[in-house]
């Protein structure tokens, strides 16, 4: 899980330590041992914390500054490629202008007049942390770090330190996501299983069950698509956001499997982040009425235009998350600021990750 971060002896030693800690879980002492290690680690880390973030000692907040290689992820740009067709230039400019003007979009709500679901008691919510960085921002490496610490987490269709029942809930959510993009959108089905209200109620059910299942952390697509709903369930949810240079992210994302990334057709119904696709299903009869996929859009344009537009959308997503989550509950993280060739840098990286997890997930 540390393939993107290097395999320095320090990291390997940390993994060995965490495996011992996991083994101690059966004796009921893991959390106390890890809490002590985290406290010592945090004190030691203060002297070596990277200059690319600002840190408030008694809060969860850390903000990326202009010195970070990821800082453009929080700055949607209007510098659109002149190679684009005029219609695409204007569309992207409109998206940015709507965002700059603070246009508000109605989020899909789990509970309300059109919902038969009852909000769970706040004490039943076990979800504490979500990494809102889209895939290929080092989400998997960060996830493995938390797994080795013994926390129950989910990343796309994978899970660690969970029960079979918890994993079954993740599988149910992923299956529902694939129903949306493979069947309802991919085949343009207008069948009962693809009716918007039916699908939204299914999402309501599984999201509530997952947030109260005992799982502590979530990461990667499509789990990041449901931030408005996670915040409805837990307004003080801690949010980590792994970042990357927008242009580099766009290249990396398209180089990976991007066929399942779902988004709105109608920008006027789109939430501030194009990833929050449940918002776009409201008021429609069938899922395909107002949803498409990144792949479908990409096939309709040239590569250079697609890369430019995806870089802008990535920045808008990151900035919108930073705007909607209270500063004291948000930690922006750029692992690309750390050198892979320096043990000292890896030590700093580990200290920051350990600090994030301890603050977010400690009992």
């Amino acid at each position: 899980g540390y393939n993107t971060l290097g395999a320095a002896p320090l990291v390997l030693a940390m993994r060995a330590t965490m495996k011992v800690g996991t083994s101690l879980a059966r004796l009921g002492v893991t959390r106390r041992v890890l809490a002590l290690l985290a406290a010592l680690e945090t004190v030691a880390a203060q002297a070596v914390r990277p200059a690319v973030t600002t840190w408030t000692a008694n809060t969860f907040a850390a903000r990326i500054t202009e010195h970070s290689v990821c800082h453009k992820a929080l700055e949607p740009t209007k510098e659109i490629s002149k190679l684009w067709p005029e219609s695409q230039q204007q569309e992207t400019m409109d998206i940015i202008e709507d965002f700059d003007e603070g246009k508000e979009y109605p989020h899909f709500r789990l509970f309300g007049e059109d919902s038969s679901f009852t909000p769970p008691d706040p004490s039943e919510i076990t979800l504490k942390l979500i990494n809102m960085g889209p895939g290929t921002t080092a989400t998997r490496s960060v996830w493995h770090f938390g797994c080795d610490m013994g926390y129950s987490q989910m990343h796309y269709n994978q899970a660690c330190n969970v029960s079979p029942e918890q994993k079954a809930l993740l599988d149910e959510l992923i299956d529902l996501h694939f129903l949306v993009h493979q069947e309802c959108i991919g085949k343009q089905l207008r069948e009962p299983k693809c009716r918007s209200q039916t699908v939204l109620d299914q999402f309501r059910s599984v999201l509530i069950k997952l947030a109260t299942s005992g799982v502590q952390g979530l990461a990667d697509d499509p789990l990041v698509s449901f931030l408005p709903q996670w915040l409805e369930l837990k307004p003080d949810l801690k949010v980590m956001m792994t970042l990357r240079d927008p242009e580099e992210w766009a290249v990396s994302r398209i180089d990976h499997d991007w066929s399942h990334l779902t988004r709105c057709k109608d920008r006027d119904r789109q939430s501030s982040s194009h990833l929050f696709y449940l918002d776009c299903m409201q008021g429609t009869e069938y899922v395909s009425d107002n949803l498409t996929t990144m792949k479908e859009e990409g096939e309709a344009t040239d590569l250079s235009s697609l890369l430019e537009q995806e870089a802008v959308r990535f920045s808008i997503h990151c900035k919108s998350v930073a705007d909607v989550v209270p500063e004291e509950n948000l930690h922006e993280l750029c692992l690309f600021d750390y050198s892979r060739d320096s043990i000292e840098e890896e030590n700093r990286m580990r200290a920051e990750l350990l600090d994030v997890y301890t603050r977010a997930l400690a009992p």
Side-chain angles (χ1 to χ4, degrees):
Y2 293 90
N3 58 323
T4 63
L5 304 176
L10 198 58
V11 175
L12 297 178
M14 183 65 182
R15 293 187 71 181
T17 300
M18 292 306 172
K19 287 181 179 179
V20 172
T22 303
S23 299
L24 290 174
R26 299 182 181 88
L27 302 178
V29 299
T30 304
R31 291 289 184 264
R32 290 191 293 275
V33 171
L34 287 177
L36 177 60
L37 287 173
L40 294 173
E41 199 65 59
T42 299
V43 171
Q46 298 305 312
V48 295
R49 187 167 301 284
V52 297
T53 59
T54 56
W55 182 261
T56 306
N58 61 352
T59 72
F60 187 67
R63 290 298 178 105
I64 295 294
T65 74
E66 61 183 6
H67 302 293
S68 170
V69 300
C70 295
H71 79 275
K72 287 194 294 183
L74 300 168
E75 300 176 1
T77 177
K78 295 183 179 180
E79 296 178 1
I80 308 301
S81 172
K82 293 182 179 179
L83 297 176
W84 281 20
E86 185 175 348
S87 59
Q88 292 183 10
Q89 288 188 35
Q90 187 59 49
E91 179 183 0
T92 305
M93 291 287 283
D94 289 345
I95 291 173
I96 297 173
E97 288 175 2
D98 285 347
F99 180 78
D100 288 343
E101 293 170 2
K103 184 175 180 179
E104 295 184 3
Y105 301 84
H107 292 304
F108 166 68
R109 297 185 61 83
L110 297 174
F111 315 107
E113 295 181 358
D114 66 336
S115 173
S116 61
F117 293 84
T118 302
D121 188 277
S123 63
E124 299 176 2
I125 305 295
T126 60
L127 180 62
K128 293 185 176 183
L129 173 68
I130 183 169
N131 182 357
M132 281 301 298
T136 72
T137 58
T139 59
R140 189 179 301 275
S141 295
V142 173
W143 176 74
H144 274 291
F145 188 94
C147 290
D148 285 349
M149 291 181 70
Y151 293 118
S152 58
Q153 298 187 117
M154 295 176 170
H155 178 282
Y156 181 42
N157 62 353
Q158 296 182 307
C160 65
N161 306 315
V162 300
S163 67
E165 293 77 16
Q166 291 168 329
K167 181 59 168 64
L169 287 175
L170 175 62
D171 293 341
E172 181 181 347
L173 179 59
I174 296 299
D175 287 345
L176 186 55
H177 172 69
F178 273 79
L179 167 69
V180 167
H181 91 82
Q182 284 188 338
E183 298 288 318
C184 301
I185 300 176
K187 297 180 181 180
Q188 297 288 299
L189 295 183
R190 303 185 72 81
E191 300 177 0
K193 67 179 179 180
C194 288
R195 285 188 176 275
S196 297
Q197 192 59 52
T198 299
V199 174
L200 287 173
D201 282 342
Q202 289 178 297
F203 271 112
R204 281 186 169 111
S205 176
V206 69
L207 291 177
I208 294 168
K209 288 187 290 186
L210 193 56
T212 57
S213 67
V215 171
Q216 296 169 295
L218 303 174
D220 203 27
D221 311 303
L223 300 173
V224 301
S225 296
F226 315 122
L227 178 64
Q229 292 72 47
W230 301 131
L231 288 175
E232 184 182 358
L233 286 163
K234 187 176 178 63
D236 62 344
L237 180 68
K238 297 296 187 291
V239 177
M240 179 198 313
M241 188 159 61
T242 47
L243 300 170
R244 190 171 188 176
D245 177 85
E247 289 79 10
E248 291 182 1
W249 175 84
V251 172
S252 179
R253 181 71 268 179
I254 293 174
D255 192 44
H256 286 69
D257 178 21
W258 50 291
S259 60
H260 66 93
L261 296 181
T262 304
R263 57 180 49 157
C264 303
K265 290 180 183 177
D266 181 359
R267 185 173 42 77
D268 288 336
R269 292 191 182 186
Q270 178 175 304
S271 177
S272 51
S273 169
H274 64 280
L275 295 179
F276 301 158
Y277 68 82
L278 296 187
D279 298 347
C280 311
M281 294 169 58
Q282 299 180 103
T284 63
E285 184 176 3
Y286 290 96
V287 169
S288 60
D289 290 344
N290 194 33
L291 287 183
T292 184
T293 63
M294 181 178 175
K295 183 176 181 180
E296 283 188 355
E297 288 190 337
E299 290 174 344
T301 187
D302 61 273
L303 181 59
S304 62
S305 298
L306 176 65
L307 291 172
E308 196 78 33
Q309 192 162 7
E310 291 309 315
V312 171
R313 279 177 162 157
F314 173 78
S315 296
I316 290 177
H317 165 76
C318 295
K319 186 63 166 60
S320 63
V321 171
D323 285 347
V324 73
V325 177
E327 182 174 343
E328 64 271 17
N329 294 334
L330 176 68
H331 188 109
E332 297 164 356
L333 181 64
C334 181
L335 292 186
F336 300 91
D337 285 328
Y338 296 99
S339 170
R340 303 181 188 182
D341 303 321
S342 167
I343 292 180
E344 180 183 6
E345 285 287 288
E346 292 207 20
N347 185 38
R348 291 178 178 178
M349 178 274 299
R350 284 196 313 108
E352 184 171 11
L353 286 177
L354 186 58
D355 208 5
V356 170
Y357 271 104
T358 302
R359 290 173 184 270
L361 298 181

